[in-house]
Amino acid sequence: MYTKGRSRHFIYTDWILIETQFDPEQLHSKETVFTIGNGYLGTRGCFEEGYPHALPATFIHGVYDDVPVVYTELVNCPDWLPLIVIVNGDRFRLDQGEILRYDRQLDLRQGLLGRSLRWRSPSGNTIDIGFERFASLADPHVLALRCHLTPVDFDGLIEVQASINGYPENQGFNHWEGLDQGKTDQGIWLQRRTRSSRIELCVAAKVTISGTEASLQVSTAPGYPTLSTTFLGKAQQTVTVEKLVTVFTSREVETPVLAAQEKLAHLPDYATLLKANEQAWDEVWQQSDILIEGDSTATFAVRYNLFQLLIAAPRHDDRVSIPAKTLSGFGYRGHIFWDTEIFMLPMFLFTQPAIACNLLSYRWHTLPGAQRKAAHYGYKGAMFAWESAVTGDEVTPRWALESNFYGEDVRIWCRDREIHINADIPYAIWNYWQATGDDDWMQKVGAEVILDAAIFWGSRVEFNPERERYEIRGVIGADEYHELVHNNAFTNRMAQWHLEKAIAVYDWLTDKFPERATELEQKLKLTSQERSHWQDIVAKILFLYDPSTELIEQFEGFFQSEDIDLADYEPRDRSMQAILGVDRINKYQVIKQPDILMLLYLMRESADFPYSEKALQTNWDYYAPRTDITYGSSLGPAVHAILASDLSKSIEAYELFIRALMVDLEDNRGNTSDGIHGASAGGIWQAVIFGFGGIQLTENGPVANPHLPPGWTRLKFKLHWRGKWHDFDLHQGLGIGHGALGMGHGELGMGHGELGMGHGEKDTTEITNAQFPIPNSQSSNIQGFIFDLDGVLTDTAELHYLGWKKLADEEGIPFDREANEALRGVSRRASLMLILGDRPYAEAQIQEMMERKNRYYVELIQNMTPQDLLPGAIALLDELRQAGIKIGIGSASKNAQTVIERLGIADKIDAIADGYSVQEPKPAPDLFLYAAKQLGIEPEQSVVVEDAAAGVEAALAAGMWAVGLGPVERVGAAHVVLPSLEGITWADLREQLSHVSRQKR
Amino acid sequence: MYTKGRSRHFIYTDWILIETQFDPEQLHSKETVFTIGNGYLGTRGCFEEGYPHALPATFIHGVYDDVPVVYTELVNCPDWLPLIVIVNGDRFRLDQGEILRYDRQLDLRQGLLGRSLRWRSPSGNTIDIGFERFASLADPHVLALRCHLTPVDFDGLIEVQASINGYPENQGFNHWEGLDQGKTDQGIWLQRRTRSSRIELCVAAKVTISGTEASLQVSTAPGYPTLSTTFLGKAQQTVTVEKLVTVFTSREVETPVLAAQEKLAHLPDYATLLKANEQAWDEVWQQSDILIEGDSTATFAVRYNLFQLLIAAPRHDDRVSIPAKTLSGFGYRGHIFWDTEIFMLPMFLFTQPAIACNLLSYRWHTLPGAQRKAAHYGYKGAMFAWESAVTGDEVTPRWALESNFYGEDVRIWCRDREIHINADIPYAIWNYWQATGDDDWMQKVGAEVILDAAIFWGSRVEFNPERERYEIRGVIGADEYHELVHNNAFTNRMAQWHLEKAIAVYDWLTDKFPERATELEQKLKLTSQERSHWQDIVAKILFLYDPSTELIEQFEGFFQSEDIDLADYEPRDRSMQAILGVDRINKYQVIKQPDILMLLYLMRESADFPYSEKALQTNWDYYAPRTDITYGSSLGPAVHAILASDLSKSIEAYELFIRALMVDLEDNRGNTSDGIHGASAGGIWQAVIFGFGGIQLTENGPVANPHLPPGWTRLKFKLHWRGKWHDFDLHQGLGIGHGALGMGHGELGMGHGELGMGHGEKDTTEITNAQFPIPNSQSSNIQGFIFDLDGVLTDTAELHYLGWKKLADEEGIPFDREANEALRGVSRRASLMLILGDRPYAEAQIQEMMERKNRYYVELIQNMTPQDLLPGAIALLDELRQAGIKIGIGSASKNAQTVIERLGIADKIDAIADGYSVQEPKPAPDLFLYAAKQLGIEPEQSVVVEDAAAGVEAALAAGMWAVGLGPVERVGAAHVVLPSLEGITWADLREQLSHVSRQKR
């Protein structure tokens, strides 16, 4: 069950993330979450006006510079965001004055970040401020920012300062030295150069103002060029400031200053740039979108994870790759790990193959560094860096240094020992080749990497004559809790697999491209003896495996090390390594992340040894409970989700999936501030496609064997396979999968995970018990039911739509049912903002419109009839009354009375708690306690039926039984979770509730 | 002989350092050299307008912040200097446009840094710009900067921007987070806070403009508040900009913002502030000045070293101390070493005892940190940090990290092993007590440090029952080339000395302050057993010493390690450690800095064991040749100079002294850019006072036994001893030392080092031979003499004085003989600048005045008579002529002919080479070669008589014999050095020259 509550101010629509309240406590994690980018750069979602301790950052691919301890880091580039508004002398800033209204929105469809605020200055002037920005996907060197300013209750002087900040920081360090700066007819520019790597950069900016008469001044504080203007703002009149920015570095052009000035001079206006950006995003989503229905959080959150990968992926550059934390944070200093090839790459491979090609070509460019590393350690060929940057030399820090005066520094051994990456990269290259059939790239680029990396293994393995086996000693496997092990099964098998493929590639090259084969033989000193050596290793490498049970030993002696029950350490909020210590954990059978299971996953696709269903079951049973899946590596949950799905553990699979899915949106590891978990995002794609979608890659192309999670009614996506697109449109329970276009799939049978009561019951109960208290009573004591109204007994969504539609028509704004989809679960104000879009309205007008829409809605309620009751509602109400159970309503609506009357159920209801009853809204328990009191029953005798997370929380807080309607991720905290009331009987419910109480007694 | 030529653009007057040319190659070292300060802060001598890669820095005592690897560092504070001048759109900057005139001057008398420039902009506008700044010694929170602007050849727009730069860097790192900034009626202010240590700071600034009508604008780029103005500059009209700055931190006041604003609001004008500053400096120099006559370089350079200590010393704060690199650079991150107590402290102790008290009280405040360190290492009491900062915890970095991807990190062991500091601090405290008799401080503060540090030794020594000796194993001694040694004589003896004194202090305390004794016994867990233990250690600590020879072994096994002849490695430009490597050098008998000799020096004053004249001679002979005195530690040369002086090695002592004296002025170790060598500066004071002054501290007060170096005619200084001032005025050869006021000294006998021919001859010849070629001839072949004119045959200084005097009178500028002293050796322009001071003159006027003064000078020459010949000149000329030796003149003067005629020696001169004869001036050989040709003799048959270094160099370059008149440090390169021609005969000279040639054949 994932951690709740960290992001209670988030609303997810299908495409838009809405933050409804600003929480300074979450400043840094939200900066990460609201990152935008365009494959050239990424910009954290910091405020244009700044905030104390904010961590603004713009990272450009390939712009690294030297730094102590970790050698090199991705450089924070000059900040293009600063836009300061001074209202009658008061600088607009969220830590002063009063925030009267706030929402921040990230629209994934077009990579558009917006913020809408009403702010009252310390001097008492109220102003509406709207910001919007994007990094153009249509032109990677273009950034745009727009600001609307509307004084609400005053006329007064407003000053706007739009700057380029040449003092960006990497944890306090400024990598830039000033070269020059200046102004042109177009605006301002700033030229800087990195201190050591000497990459030159120019950022240029111009500003236009509309809605008032104002002239621009240039000020030239060193490193802080600024365009500023002062105008007389008038109440209810909107002034718009557009800041357009261009950026180039010497990695792309010879003279960034000229390029940035030139481009700035020819930029069209904001609206035109926005349109081009939207079109570019349309094309991207055309290929990479995943549509999920029936689970609105997943609908958005899956797209969110894809979005974060898409904005971080190099679209125009094959000498860079995606850092572990993408281009969104300072974590791991922008270094590149196996995360890219093993976790992130598949999404690109199957939906954006050109980007996949860039990512893999990056490794080819780093071969010289990998060769230097091999030579340093006394090996041959290419030994890829565990952490890689520009050159491919090893940049993993040697030390985790103590800041305590007398603490001990901790040696980091991954640089020396975590060598499985040398097979992981070839694994990805091979898969790229299989999926694309890109022979030309393979012979020119891919083959060299596979072969040179294979030569490393030839020099790295040791032959043990006693065992007559090749061994690989002194490594760290995928599981990093064990820092010095021998014959790690993951490493040994991946090396063996790699050498098998290297031989195949060598033979293929010799056959199809003999000249290239000869060339590489000379360049890499590759001989037939080496090929024979590889064959010998493949045949004789040690693999610790019991054929009878198919249980694999993670490394030599693992089974002898001390066993541990992770449950004994619950509840916990940190990793087992943090609890036991770096040294001690080496001695235990507790692992950071899947290692044997990771191997099985990687071998799963082609069912390569040792993958089998039995092996999976056996090793899952052994290793899964020993894996620190909650606070170990974030690389774990998505992979475990796929394997759990394979093992028909639908609920567990979904829970693991949600853990990965929400890792950043809910900051459930507490380190989102360091940047997006790129590998987890990549794992999400794999979990949806390979896990729930059950995609298998056959010679005839991809085939689906879906295992949709509970609640998912539809899963739609596209895969590219050997030059063709394959569409999948999978539906829950219908047993229908649309085959690839132009290819013959049969109908795909429905797999596991259907949400029937019989199946779902036990699992649901189990997770419930693990988390929430059981009311102090037997379920047989139940005396009353309290129903939420909207979403439980009826659904007012249609009425809301009609209300908005009427309003929109009156305002002449296009609005239809499709547009209405974006408003699900969105507050009244936020909904109106979405409808109004860019149109500038004064706050007073907005207030009036909100009231108008509510009037229409109340009018519509008058037209409700018993037909508007949801399926199963009337039957259950009647059954309960017959059983002598009391019935109450617990609804926050102020229209509850009216609705109940119109629905014709007033005579079935014993008490109503509504929007007038209590002060504190859900999730406070007050409303339900009020209802129970009205019904004359005790909380532990009450059952609450709810469809919202806050409602379930309120019921639990009240000490009542909770029945949740909807997906587990929303109402999973309830004692019983149901899709809806349809077909539900009092007998069913009583049975399930008694099961819950028995389990715990 | 010290390295020449690194700073060939320097002129030294008695008090003023003048840099006559800007050399970008020396940017960073000159920034250090021109550091100013006031004991509260130090500001490096960077340019107000900036320069590419400049390292501007202002360090405030006690403002430290966290940093990786080295734990904490002195923080570079917001820069108060920026003042940008834009001339008709061209920003004034020395890397663009044309520098037509340049000089930079540091006036030690009042800590005043000035710069005077004529600059032609890229657009061709010429402007005179003068800067001046000081950090007020009268009020440590006040900084002032003034700029004169005089367009030379244009009328045009001039913009001035005066800023506070909130983005200062420590090697790229900005320790400050922004809190706030703003403007007041008075100007601008910036409030920042250090990231980790959370020290708040406010810098406020205001600007006034005179000489034109101009209004000020405020611009508020975040972190870069700026006051700017634009005015119409007019040719030959001077506009003056004054920027006054206040600065406070939360270390001194609760609300730095209010304090800085408040003080700014009440500041008087620049001139008034300057006057107060001057008075404060007067008082300081009253106590601390050292007057040297007869060696103009030393006159200035000794004061320069004192100045750098005085500006770095905390005057108002006893919780801070002076970092190894003072407040002038980033080296050693502002950490505090034994350098302070052992090298720098004596100057303060004897001339500024209140500051000495602050420095020592700092250690008392850090006792808790020292106790934590002891506990960490398993010892008792206080174990002082090798590198110390605010808390006293150990902040020596553990590692010298490799930036190379595959290099090996080097462990730094000083934090663990260099424990002699634990006796060094008590040594300083004891000496403070002896010199001041400050019993009150001793019982309250000093005693606790001595006792708690003694407790450490009690737990640190190990008793070796076989030897029946206490040992101290596993240490680094004063010599850091040997990283793991046992029973280092320096450490063991200092610990023993410390315990002896600890017992004495303990007994004294018990006797005089029994309550305090009891208090400390309880606090420190001090017992009579502990006292007995100390006595036992004192009696039985191991000391490796041969009583027969008095040779001490540096540590166990030193004599067995491999010996090495340092001469085999000459010439070299780096340390022996750099040559041999950190590991290898451990095995050799080569040491970084005095260790045994350091011990003898520290024991010298009270002639404590093992100090004796024999021990000094024996150990000097052994250890001095094995010491890497040139590129080892900069702590070495001054101490060696003192001991060499004791051993009557006057020339060697003087050379060592000069090496230390010029370490920063001539950057002779190449690392002045990192900051002033504070310990070397402190060593200079000790070398002058204890070495050359021969001061010994007797029960009756300090007594002088001077050994003045060759050339020094006078040495005058003051010492404070037990509440009274003692004046010393020592004269070369006169045998007269003025005793302390009010105390009875007898006349002090003249010691060693008198510059008589008989004595000086051999030494002089020795150093000469070591450095310069002998002409290809016997000295008996000498056929001719070439005399320089000014300073050799006559002296025109008086005529120059009269020229300047006349000019000054005409201009109404006060000028007298005392003021004239500052002009010695100063160019015509620089002299004029000194005379003009602040008075604004246009360049055309300056040109005219220079010409006018020369006219007066030429007129005065006409009045010369044979009376103006220098003593001995006429006699020698006559003798030479009688001996048939030809006589020429080699003078750069264009008035040589006139002068010779007026002196009445025209008939004695066979040829004249003067300012019209050749193109290349001295030190090119051209002029002398021309003269020899005129005389019809070969170079090797010629003797040049010169009083200038450049002249001697020219003679040597010509392959001639050189006779230098004046101090060794000026003309020591000559074959023969004489004070003057007085009493010199041709026979003398021939004898000496033949001695030179014999030595080398």
Side-chain angles (χ1 to χ4, degrees), chain B residues 9 30 107 109 129 187 198 213 250 256 267 280 320 331 365 419 446 450 463 507 553 588 595 645 656 712 993:
Chain B
H9 309 311
K30 292 296 181 283
D107 181 345
R109 264 177 313 199
I129 304 183
R198 303 183 82 73
E213 289 290 310
S250 54
L267 278 190
V320 298
H365 287 296
I419 57 176
I450 290 185
F463 187 71
D507 294 347
E553 188 168 19
Y588 289 93
D595 187 298
S645 183
L656 288 159
W712 288 25
L993 291 168

Side-chain angles (χ1 to χ4, degrees), chain B residues 547-657:
Chain B
S548 64
T549 62
E550 299 195 20
L551 184 65
I552 307 163
E553 188 168 19
Q554 188 175 307
F555 53 79
E556 287 205 81
F558 181 80
F559 291 152
Q560 277 68 58
S561 56
E562 195 169 335
D563 212 354
I564 200 168
D565 187 349
L566 290 179
D568 295 346
Y569 293 84
E570 298 293 347
R572 59 187 169 99
D573 57 1
R574 59 208 168 118
S575 75
M576 289 305 297
Q577 187 179 50
I579 291 170
L580 295 174
V582 172
D583 287 335
R584 269 182 75 204
I585 201 154
N586 276 287
K587 308 188 182 95
Y588 289 93
Q589 287 194 43
V590 52
I591 66 182
K592 184 176 176 186
Q593 66 215 87
D595 187 298
I596 296 301
L597 294 175
M598 189 73 205
L599 176 65
L600 293 174
Y601 172 61
L602 295 182
M603 296 296 128
R604 162 187 184 275
E605 176 50 43
S606 46
D608 273 345
F609 173 81
Y611 181 85
S612 74
E613 284 190 30
K614 182 179 168 198
L616 178 58
Q617 185 70 55
T618 302
N619 287 286
W620 174 276
D621 290 345
Y622 194 87
Y623 288 103
R626 290 171 172 82
T627 306
D628 185 2
I629 207 73
T630 45
Y631 291 100
S633 170
S634 65
L635 277 55
V639 170
H640 269 209
I642 298 168
L643 299 178
S645 183
D646 284 0
L647 291 167
S648 301
K649 298 172 182 292
S650 303
I651 300 296
E652 188 170 355
Y654 186 73
E655 283 172 20
L656 288 159
F657 171 74

Side-chain angles (χ1 to χ4, degrees), chain B residues 47-87:
Chain B
F47 297 150
E48 289 80 356
E49 71 279 12
Y51 195 84
H53 300 105
L55 293 174
T58 290
F59 298 108
I60 298 178
H61 263 307
V63 178
Y64 288 84
D65 192 38
D66 296 3
V67 63
V69 187
V70 296
Y71 304 98
T72 188
E73 68 183 354
L74 198 57
V75 169
N76 190 2
C77 295
D79 189 11
W80 61 281
L81 297 182
L83 195 142
I84 283 175
V85 177
I86 300 167
V87 179

Side-chain angles (χ1 to χ4, degrees), chain A residues 47 159 301 305 426 521 780:
Chain A
F47 297 151
E159 186 180 351
N305 279 278
E521 278 166 350
S780 54

Side-chain angles (χ1 to χ4, degrees), chain A residues 213-451:
Chain A
E213 289 291 309
S215 64
L216 285 167
Q217 285 84 44
V218 180
S219 78
T220 54
Y224 224 107
T226 299
L227 290 162
S228 59
T229 188
T230 303
F231 58 86
L232 183 65
K234 299 209 171 153
Q236 307 297 341
Q237 292 188 11
T238 299
V239 171
T240 300
V241 180
E242 293 180 1
K243 179 182 182 185
L244 304 183
V245 178
T246 59
V247 54
F248 282 88
T249 81
S250 55
R251 293 188 72 254
E252 308 99 43
V253 293
E254 201 144 328
T255 50
V257 171
L258 293 182
Q261 288 178 357
E262 174 85 0
K263 181 163 292 278
L264 192 71
H266 297 99
L267 278 191
D269 67 0
Y270 183 92
T272 310
L273 292 170
L274 182 59
K275 190 149 211 77
N277 173 60
E278 196 178 352
Q279 282 170 359
W281 271 108
D282 271 352
E283 288 170 30
V284 167
W285 285 118
Q286 207 61 251
Q287 297 181 193
S288 295
D289 186 33
I290 293 177
L291 171 67
I292 293 165
E293 289 182 3
D295 181 347
S296 61
T297 298
T299 306
F300 172 80
V302 166
R303 281 173 173 148
Y304 178 82
N305 279 278
L306 304 186
F307 174 79
Q308 286 296 343
L309 291 178
L310 288 165
I311 63 174
R315 307 175 68 78
H316 310 284
D317 191 342
D318 71 353
R319 289 175 173 269
V320 297
S321 186
I322 308 177
K325 297 285 186 185
T326 72
L327 300 177
S328 63
F330 298 93
Y332 294 119
R333 314 295 187 113
H335 293 179
I336 295 144
F337 295 68
W338 71 318
D339 301 37
T340 312
E341 280 79 6
I342 297 299
F343 292 86
M344 305 182 215
L345 188 86
M347 188 272 265
F348 296 103
L349 208 173
F350 289 103
T351 78
Q352 303 281 349
I355 292 177
C357 185
N358 283 345
L359 294 172
L360 293 171
S361 298
Y362 158 77
R363 293 293 188 176
W364 181 70
H365 287 297
T366 68
L367 276 176
Q371 288 156 0
R372 285 189 289 271
K373 181 178 173 186
H376 167 70
Y377 282 97
Y379 302 115
K380 294 181 183 165
M383 182 181 184
F384 280 104
W386 177 245
E387 298 187 23
S388 184
V390 172
T391 64
D393 286 289
E394 182 59 73
V395 293
T396 306
R398 270 195 185 70
W399 298 99
L401 292 177
E402 261 291 346
S403 59
N404 179 297
F405 300 118
Y406 309 113
E408 279 306 313
D409 305 319
V410 176
R411 181 68 155 82
I412 298 173
W413 293 107
C414 301
R415 54 161 35 232
D416 314 274
R417 300 179 185 159
E418 196 156 356
I419 58 175
H420 62 77
I421 191 170
N422 237 54
D424 304 334
I425 292 167
Y427 178 90
I429 290 174
W430 177 271
N431 284 340
Y432 172 83
W433 189 33
Q434 296 305 302
T436 61
D438 189 349
D439 286 355
D440 185 54
W441 180 87
M442 188 63 179
Q443 61 96 4
K444 282 184 187 151
V445 177
E448 185 173 356
V449 178
I450 289 184
L451 294 172

Side-chain angles (χ1 to χ4, degrees), chain A residues 108 162 182 220 293 307 366 409 667 810 864 881 934 965 979:
Chain A
L108 308 178
T220 54
E293 289 182 3
F307 174 79
T366 68
D409 305 319
D667 193 11
E810 287 166 352
M864 289 181 91
R881 286 197 74 74
Q934 296 294 105
L965 305 185

